[in-house]
Amino acid sequence: MALGKPDPRYTHSRRAQANFRLALKVALVFTGVLWSIFIIDTVFGLRLGRFGLRPGSTMGLIGVFTAPLLHANFQHILSNTLPLFISLTATLYLYPNAAIRVIPTIWVGSGVLAWLIGRPSLHYGASGLIYGLLAFVFMSGILRRDMRSVSVSLLVGFLYGSM
C-alpha cells in the first residue's frame, strides 16, 4: 500500500495555514487549561485527584469526565503535555470535521472503558485521550492513505511510548 502525499497547492494555501494556526491555538488553550488546573490544585491544596476515575464504583463515574483534566504530579503532567499537544493539533488540523465528533467520543469512550475494565484504584491523566487520538490519526491515515497522519502518529507514539 502506497501512502499518498498531500497536495502542495492546499498545504501551502492560506486556508491550510489558517487551519493549522487554529488547531495550534485550540491545542495550546486546552493544554493551558490542564496546566492551570494542575497549578491551582497544587497551590491551593484542593486535592482534585479525588475526582478521578474509580473503576466499578458509581461514585467513580464522575472520573469519566474529569480524569483527563487531572494529573498526579509535575512529572505526570509534563509527560502528557507534548504528546497531547501534538496529537490534538494533528487531529484538529488533519481531520477538522471529524474532530468535533471524535474528541468527545474518545474522551468519554476511554473513560467508560477504564471504568469497566480498569484495575480497582484511582485513575487520572490524559493518557487514554492521547492514545485514542493517536489511534484515530493513525487509522485514519492508513484508511485514507495519508502519509502525514501516519507519520505524526508514529512519531508521537514513539516519543510518548518511550517516556
Side-chain angles (χ1 to χ4, degrees):
M1 173 180 82
L3 295 176
K5 293 184 180 174
D7 182 3
R9 291 175 297 184
Y10 173 73
T11 56
H12 297 309
S13 71
R14 288 183 191 264
R15 180 176 176 203
Q17 292 170 359
N19 288 348
F20 184 69
R21 282 193 301 275
L22 179 61
L24 278 173
K25 287 177 187 174
V26 170
L28 186 61
V29 166
F30 183 72
T31 307
V33 167
L34 290 185
W35 274 93
S36 297
I37 291 169
F38 176 75
I39 290 168
I40 290 169
D41 183 33
T42 303
V43 169
F44 294 108
L46 300 175
R47 300 180 316 117
L48 294 176
R50 68 182 184 264
F51 297 111
L53 186 129
R54 293 183 190 275
S57 162
T58 307
M59 295 297 289
L61 275 172
I62 185 95
V64 168
F65 304 101
T66 60
L69 302 171
L70 307 172
H71 290 82
N73 53 42
F74 180 75
Q75 181 62 34
H76 187 208
I77 193 167
L78 191 62
S79 68
N80 277 332
T81 298
L82 185 60
L84 180 62
F85 179 76
I86 293 172
S87 60
L88 191 56
T89 301
T91 303
L92 291 167
Y93 174 63
L94 296 171
Y95 306 106
N97 295 329
I100 294 167
R101 293 180 308 275
V102 165
I103 294 170
T105 301
I106 292 171
W107 184 300
V108 173
S110 63
V112 168
L113 189 63
W115 188 83
L116 289 172
I117 66 171
R119 66 189 184 325
S121 66
L122 188 61
H123 297 261
Y124 36 73
S127 297
L129 181 61
I130 294 167
Y131 283 122
L133 291 173
L134 289 177
F136 170 75
V137 171
F138 180 75
M139 290 309 297
S140 296
I142 294 291
L143 294 173
R144 296 177 188 191
R145 297 182 180 191
D146 180 17
M147 187 184 326
R148 296 177 305 171
S149 299
V150 174
S151 301
V152 166
S153 29
L154 288 176
L155 174 68
V156 174
F158 173 74
L159 291 173
Y160 186 60
S162 67
M163 288 185 172

